[in-house]
Amino acid sequence: MRHTILSILVAALLAGCGHKVPGNFWEKDELPPIYPDYCDVTVPINIAPLTFQIDGSADDVVARLSAGDDEVVLGGDKIQPDAADWRRLAEMAKGDAIKVEVYVEQNGSWTRFRPFNIYVSPDSIDPYISYRLIPPSYVTYEELTINQRCLENYDESVIYDNMLCSENAEGQCINCHNYQQYNPDRMQFHARENLGGTVIAYDGAIRKINMRNDSILSAGVYPTWHPWLPLIVYSTNKTGQIFHSVNPNKIEVFDSESDLIAYDVERNEVTNIENDPDEMECFPFWAPDGRTLYYCSAHFEYHDTVADKGKEFVTRTEEAKYCLYKKSFDPETMQFGPREKLSVEGLELRDVTSGDTSKVTQLSTLISQQSATLPRVSPDGRYLMFTLAPYGVFHIWHHDADLWMLDLQTGEARCMEEINSPDTESYHSWSSNGRWVVFSSRRYDGNYTRPFIAHIDAEGRGSKPFELPCANPDYHRQLLKSYNVPEFMRGPVTITPQQFADALKQEAEPVKYVSRLGQTGGL
């Protein structure tokens, strides 16, 4: 009865606003051409309202959203549900779906498209994500920000703005924000060039660290926090980039050298854990049990007579094929074990739909000849998602990069065709409950990365991804910036941008190099 009364009240309010479902219309057995494409997506119960518009010309648009005996009718150029209406419909559709009917008027005639569903999962999502916003200028450090966005509404704020420390021609790059177990009170990011250093925020204290040391290749680059210890593992990288004149990938970002280091936050000590000159280790990631470190590495031997490694690597870029590795770790002794290559090349792959053995062979060959990067393990420790492309390490610039899933229990890997697109899929992060992933995709225009979110079920299968909802559905097509490194968070960072800027203007603390972590007295 309560929902019936609510429906009557909503209908009366909508009638007063002039939006109503057309009485006469043509039926069209096609899904409506809407942007963003939210047709038949699965969303978390606590997501912000999904807004959309017709992707094309229309004199008028009306949409009816219904769940159970409740409905909301909206009209105009943009379909923008009110937050209260959306929450009510989502709660009614929990474990089921919100039905959406779209009516479009052209030249005085209405057409009703085939209805679609927005499936509402009872699995909630972490309330925040953070990301870097970066213009595709490639050569300048101007106007870089690390932002945070509430997924339960459209609120967005700046964590740090590099212009607070940039003066005239002295630019400052910022990148690689990362958190310990989704905790916004324990985070780090890098500033490079002007006033450069690694910023570490730990339970209210902010420190600027100079991690450069003669005993390590470079300052820390790509980070991963241990699940509970004050320990961060980084790759150290000598990175370069080349610009293509005819290659559709435009840019190749590469490492001419890279190693792995471990940094003790409390002791301010650093040590090498992998530094083979013929191996290029990158993108470390801790397993949730804190006892296994995953990463990727490419075997690459330089010619003895060549002194400029970067110059040689440019001519041999496509030879860089990265494989997945892991190392054991003892939290009590703080010691790492030897590296172990994951058996990705020899996986027993099955086509579960047809049992086609020829496809099994093709998949196995594909993995062994490709480059696997960005291993990220699900919070329950069962699945490892990675990015696969023909070569290289920086797959965000590779249009043929796809997401793959490795089941660490069964040893099977597969291409995640249900969430991939014909264009780039790259950097990905798991939600804290392991039921959602956010990843970077260039599926709409091939140039700008946008965050897409997909549900992952208990069997590791993904739903159709949906683009990050915005109050204005056309916002992303008007924003001339890319989203970079989306990471889930349990809440917002409360340290202000100015506090981070003040810390960066101070002298950085130099790290102390030790041969082994945890030893009193260092070397």
Side-chain angles (χ1 to χ4, degrees), residues 262-334:
Y263 172 68
D264 188 317
V265 175
E266 292 184 344
R267 293 172 177 258
N268 195 33
E269 295 177 345
V270 67
T271 192
N272 286 298
I273 56 176
E274 281 288 334
N275 59 347
D276 187 329
D278 294 331
E279 292 289 331
M280 293 192 292
E281 302 90 353
C282 197
F283 293 128
F285 190 82
W286 285 104
D289 65 1
R291 296 182 177 276
T292 305
L293 179 73
Y294 291 90
Y295 61 99
C296 62
S297 182
H299 185 77
F300 194 93
E301 296 184 24
Y302 287 96
H303 300 155
D304 292 341
T305 57
V306 176
D308 188 339
K309 292 184 177 180
K311 185 176 180 180
E312 178 183 350
F313 195 91
V314 167
T315 65
R316 300 173 57 195
T317 303
E318 296 188 10
E319 295 179 33
K321 310 279 188 178
Y322 284 74
C323 299
L324 300 179
Y325 290 85
K326 65 179 180 180
K327 293 173 72 69
S328 63
F329 176 73
D330 186 340
E332 300 299 324
T333 63
M334 299 280 284

